[in-house]
Amino acid sequence: MRKEIWLMVIMVVITYTAKAQRPLRTDATISGFYTTSMDKILDTIMAGSDLKIVFDRSLVSKYDVVDRFNNENVKDVIFQLCKSNKLYYWVDADMTVYIIRVPEDVARLKKMRQNMEVGRAKSFQIQKSEDVGIQPTLEKRKSDPFNITGRIIDRGSGESLPSAIVRVQHTGIISNTNADGYFTLIAVPSDTCKLEVNYVGYQRETYYLNKDNIKKELIIGLYPALKTLNEVVITDKRSEGLMSTDKRRVSVLQISPSKLEELPNIGEKDILRSFQLMPGISASNESSSGAYVRGGTPDQNLVLFDGFTVYQVDHLYGFFSAFNSNAVKDVTMYKGGFSAKYGGRLSSVTDIVGKEGNSKETNIAGDLSLLSANVFVEKPLNDKSTLLLAYRRSYQGPLYDKIFNKFNTSTATTNGAGGAAGPGPGGPPGGGGGGFGGNAASVSTPSSYFYDLNAKYTYAPDQKNRFSWSIYQGNDNLDNSRSLTLPSAINNGRAINMSDKTTYGNLGSSFKWSSKWNSKLYSNTLLSYSTYHSERDNSSKVTVQDEDGNDEEISTGTFEKNKLKDFSLKSDWEYQLGAKVKVLFGGFASQQHVTYESSQSDTSKLIDQNTSAITSGAYGELESDLTDKIQVKGGLRSTLYDQTGKLYFEPRFSATYTLTDKLTLKASTGKFYQFTNRVLREDILSGSRDFWVLSNGSSIPVSSANHYIAGFSYETGQFLIDIEGYYKQLDNLSEYSQRLTGSRRPGQNVTLEEHFYNGSGYAKGLEFMLQKTRGKYTGWISYTLANATNNFDAYGGEFAASQDTRHEFKSVNLYHYGKWTFSATWIFATGKPYTAPLSSYTINDYSGNSHTFLTISGKNALRMPDYHRLDASITYDLIKVDSRKTGSIGFSLFNIYNRSNVWYKQYNIVNNQVVTSNVNYLGLTPNITLSLKWK
């Protein structure tokens, strides 16, 4: 593996040093001998070409030029002028060139350009300036309104940009691009002169209309935002920030994957973990990339990648998400009250759209950290098709070993009371069985790794049709077998030899056909296949003394397998009924097959579940701007589930009211059903485990939820306050338990009884966020007050849900200075509840046989200690003279003050003593990441 890493580093360095094409394109040339200032040369270039150059004359005039040019291309001349004077240039979407000293100058020069534009405007026409070339706008005329259709793309790569906002300037006419970047604006006033386009992570663009371009489909390209101009903006103008929400939609977050490196991280840019920094999404589950949204569990969050469902979202015991950020274009999370387009989950939706691949030029990039290496390639195969490949693999470097040490060493105590149960939410996949601690045992070296692969082929035969084939595969092989020695006071300090091997992962693929039938009708049809598998060998051997003092070796253990297969077909349609009315509708069908096997000592199959189900249905939704201030969305989803033979109706509704330019009120409600569940199996001694099952209408009922959400946002030029309250009513929740009966001695029968317990619950909370949205310093503070409660008769009534976190505070701070970005985050959360064995006792029955029993605390009656940590990072951009970013170097510190946050505790009962073993989250962890790309 080390050879592979070095080869990748050499390859990336070579490609980095290669000269790449610049986005500035012109055929103009310049000749002659010049002895003058740089501003005069730039004036000469503008006079003899169609280029528009914006610069600060007081700055540029200080630089002298003494040179002879012989029919040289002006783009090369600009490059050399900037390089020799330690300047840079930035090319805007309309090919305007900005001469800058630091990236912050772009904003200042743009404002200067706008002021010149206003000063020179007459009526509805803008005259051309000597210093700044401005595209002409439409002449004012009286005629009928017209329709505009188009597509928003990344100007450099040709990638479509979903969920971009296109607004007709000075009107209430607005549209969001769909999954393939298409938009439609109906009944645009005839005196309109320009459009405003906004998309998170990109520069805001103004597109000028004229009598010619409005007659055809518009292709509007956006440039990625300069890092130092990033603003985390929560408005309906998706600006250049890291993360934003749309105030026209309730509880929606969108993230720019290209900006993830700005945040501190353990070892990888992590998409799902970045959402954990926002209110309402728990950030104290350090060992899980899965989303605990508003009191929900990760299985209640629907995760889609290019349309197919991903059932396991974690790598490496949950420390990293399963998604390679280099292969991701756009991520949107719906925290609640989501559209009728989505179904099958109770809590939230995370919709991930993969990159299509660069349609203009070949691009190679790679990342190297202390944890893993990854490389991706995107290239145009011809003028109609593109290909993207991305591969990531871990290697056992310092960070990897540190994570595994959390499982290999622990401290055992023999308290008669207290202590936490095994890993609850966020614990290691399959539970954390074993790991019963001791005094520094002899530990075998784990042999473990993870990898993931993305591939996507896109074919666009014409402007109306697009086909894509996407594949994702991710796998973890974790071998955490070890030998642990008990305290000398127990069992004479003898060892427990433990096998703990887990393999789990996903394989998913989708084939999508997108078609634009006309300017108002658009469809998206998708055929997908997704599988999940998990296999675990959790066995142990321990030597004990019998009643006569003789040594006896007892072997115990379980072998578990869980597999899920999902075949799905769905078709989504959009119809622009009018200027302010859009209709969304579609149909879906899926077949799922789930198996779960549990064996004792690899000889006796105790559980053998094998179930299948077919789910089908349809949905319809109406989006309408009732007025310029009121937007509503109402929908209905109906689902037929063959296991119960019932039809389930799910009404949805949301609305926003723009009370003033600064204040927006919002609310939503809806009914939601879930047919595929990841049930939690609580094992007090071995740790909580979970596996996927299908609802059957009896022992595993179809779970449901009702969402009620209300809030408001108040925005000024520099700050934003966003407050939302929510209440979720949950019914038909399921928990799972096993009871092992019979003797474990050789020759004796062992049986395992399964029990599903059903109950209800609720989750309620209030989310508050204060955010600074503009300037060199940006960031936010958030506070969430929440309560997640379950009610199961089998456990005596109400108790705190395992994922309940009452108080959570987050502070996110980013400061940009030139090529440098400094960031720091601090997280505080109150401890989660747990159940623990308090003591054990032994009694003899009438036959003289002894039986050991545990005294257990009340269900989730105890609380873990409070969780808090501080992370920080520094990132330096590698920028070429033409202002293009070609890579970055980042250094981060995770858990700076080395807080010992408890992950989980484990127990073993030896000689009627409860042996407690603490396992903590990571302490102080440094990391270095090198990212390079060739474009």
Side-chain angles (χ1 to χ4, degrees), residues 124-298:
F124 284 82
Q125 292 185 325
I126 299 178
Q127 306 298 324
K128 184 176 180 181
S129 165
E130 292 181 2
D131 293 329
V132 183
I134 305 297
Q135 295 188 25
T137 62
L138 290 179
E139 296 181 3
K140 186 175 181 180
R141 61 189 184 280
K142 291 185 178 181
S143 60
D144 295 332
F146 54 88
N147 300 338
I148 298 177
T149 63
R151 186 164 171 255
I152 307 301
I153 63 171
D154 181 302
R155 190 176 183 89
S157 67
E159 288 265 8
S160 59
L161 300 179
S163 300
I165 295 177
V166 184
R167 177 194 296 273
V168 179
Q169 193 177 59
H170 306 308
T171 73
I173 302 175
I174 190 171
S175 176
N176 286 59
T177 59
N178 61 22
D180 293 299
Y182 289 101
F183 70 91
T184 298
L185 298 169
I186 304 296
V188 177
S190 59
D191 59 357
T192 294
C193 60
K194 51 189 173 181
L195 306 178
E196 294 177 351
V197 184
N198 296 276
Y199 182 70
V200 61
Y202 283 72
Q203 290 189 79
R204 189 177 303 169
E205 172 66 14
T206 299
Y207 187 86
Y208 295 86
L209 301 174
N210 56 47
K211 61 182 180 181
D212 296 320
N213 61 24
I214 64 173
K215 298 177 182 179
K216 57 186 179 181
E217 183 175 284
L218 305 180
I219 304 295
I220 303 176
L222 305 184
Y223 273 127
L226 290 174
K227 172 182 274 191
T228 50
L229 296 177
N230 286 351
E231 299 169 355
V232 183
V233 180
I234 298 191
T235 68
D236 62 349
K237 299 177 180 180
R238 293 188 183 277
S239 192
E240 310 93 4
L242 164 70
M243 192 179 303
S244 73
T245 68
D246 183 355
K247 69 182 182 183
R248 293 165 54 89
R249 298 186 290 175
V250 184
S251 301
V252 179
L253 298 172
Q254 188 181 24
I255 196 169
S256 174
S258 62
K259 306 299 176 185
L260 293 178
E261 63 194 26
E262 298 178 20
L263 295 174
N265 55 74
I266 300 177
E268 288 283 327
K269 295 178 291 186
D270 200 305
I271 296 168
L272 299 184
R273 282 190 178 278
S274 299
F275 282 121
Q276 295 179 3
L277 296 174
M278 299 300 284
I281 306 171
S282 179
S284 59
N285 300 283
E286 189 177 306
S287 61
S288 176
S289 290
Y292 292 81
V293 182
R294 291 179 172 173
T297 54

Side-chain angles (χ1 to χ4, degrees), residues 502-786:
T502 303
T503 300
Y504 64 91
N506 301 275
L507 171 63
S509 182
S510 63
F511 179 80
K512 185 178 74 170
W513 169 38
S514 303
S515 182
K516 184 179 180 182
W517 299 91
N518 53 50
S519 62
K520 296 184 178 182
L521 183 63
Y522 181 86
S523 68
N524 214 323
T525 302
L526 184 125
L527 177 66
S528 66
Y529 170 71
S530 181
T531 66
Y532 162 78
H533 71 89
S534 175
E535 299 181 7
R536 185 149 191 260
D537 172 5
N538 180 31
S539 56
S540 62
K541 295 181 180 180
V542 60
T543 301
V544 300
Q545 289 185 338
D546 60 19
E547 296 176 354
D548 299 327
N550 299 318
D551 289 347
E552 180 180 5
E553 187 178 75
I554 297 179
S555 298
T556 60
T558 58
F559 300 85
E560 296 174 283
K561 294 181 180 180
N562 187 204
K563 294 183 179 180
L564 186 153
K565 295 181 180 180
D566 183 344
F567 295 89
S568 297
L569 173 66
K570 57 183 176 181
S571 186
D572 301 315
W573 294 72
E574 300 177 8
Y575 182 71
Q576 194 74 39
L577 190 61
K580 297 186 177 181
V581 181
K582 180 189 290 186
V583 179
L584 299 91
F585 58 95
F588 56 91
S590 65
Q591 181 185 42
Q592 294 172 314
H593 182 213
V594 176
T595 61
Y596 174 67
E597 299 177 6
S598 179
S599 302
Q600 181 72 29
S601 301
D602 202 25
T603 57
S604 176
K605 185 176 290 187
L606 305 176
I607 299 176
D608 188 7
Q609 296 181 0
N610 193 321
T611 56
S612 296
I614 296 177
T615 306
S616 59
Y619 73 91
E621 194 164 63
L622 183 69
E623 293 182 5
S624 176
D625 293 348
L626 297 181
T627 68
D628 290 342
K629 295 186 175 182
I630 301 176
Q631 297 84 34
V632 298
K633 178 190 292 186
L636 178 66
R637 183 182 181 93
S638 61
T639 305
L640 177 63
Y641 186 59
D642 75 332
Q643 283 286 316
T644 61
K646 295 181 180 179
L647 189 62
Y648 298 86
F649 292 98
E650 303 172 72
R652 316 278 175 85
F653 178 80
S654 65
T656 60
Y657 176 53
T658 306
L659 193 61
T660 68
D661 291 341
K662 297 180 178 180
L663 180 62
T664 300
L665 308 180
K666 48 190 175 181
S668 70
T669 185
K671 181 80 172 181
F672 306 86
Y673 288 99
Q674 184 161 336
F675 308 95
T676 307
N677 301 276
R678 198 167 189 170
V679 297
L680 182 70
R681 166 193 163 188
E682 184 178 51
D683 186 329
I684 298 298
L685 295 181
S686 298
S688 301
R689 307 173 187 176
D690 46 25
F691 56 94
W692 289 97
V693 296
L694 295 174
S695 298
N696 55 25
S698 55
S699 61
I700 312 175
V702 175
S703 51
S704 64
N706 292 313
H707 290 196
Y708 305 95
I709 304 169
F712 70 89
S713 61
Y714 182 81
E715 184 179 13
T716 67
Q718 291 285 329
F719 294 93
L720 179 137
I721 298 175
D722 190 78
I723 297 177
E724 284 192 1
Y726 64 88
Y727 180 83
K728 291 194 290 190
Q729 179 184 345
L730 306 167
D731 291 307
N732 293 325
L733 301 177
S734 296
E735 283 203 13
Y736 177 78
S737 179
Q738 296 178 354
R739 297 292 183 265
L740 192 64
T741 61
S743 175
R744 300 188 183 188
R745 297 181 180 274
Q748 301 295 319
N749 293 326
V750 177
T751 59
L752 192 63
E753 298 177 355
E754 295 183 278
H755 299 276
F756 283 96
Y757 301 121
N758 306 130
S760 59
Y762 64 85
K764 60 182 179 180
L766 182 65
E767 301 168 3
F768 170 85
M769 182 170 66
L770 172 63
Q771 187 172 38
K772 186 176 185 299
T773 59
R774 303 180 188 278
K776 291 184 178 181
Y777 169 77
T778 59
W780 62 89
I781 58 173
S782 71
Y783 168 72
T784 302
L785 173 64

Side-chain angles (χ1 to χ4, degrees), residues 370-371 395-403 405:
L370 298 181
L371 172 74
Y395 60 94
Q396 291 188 221
L399 178 58
Y400 206 89
D401 290 341
K402 181 169 184 176
I403 293 173
N405 286 339

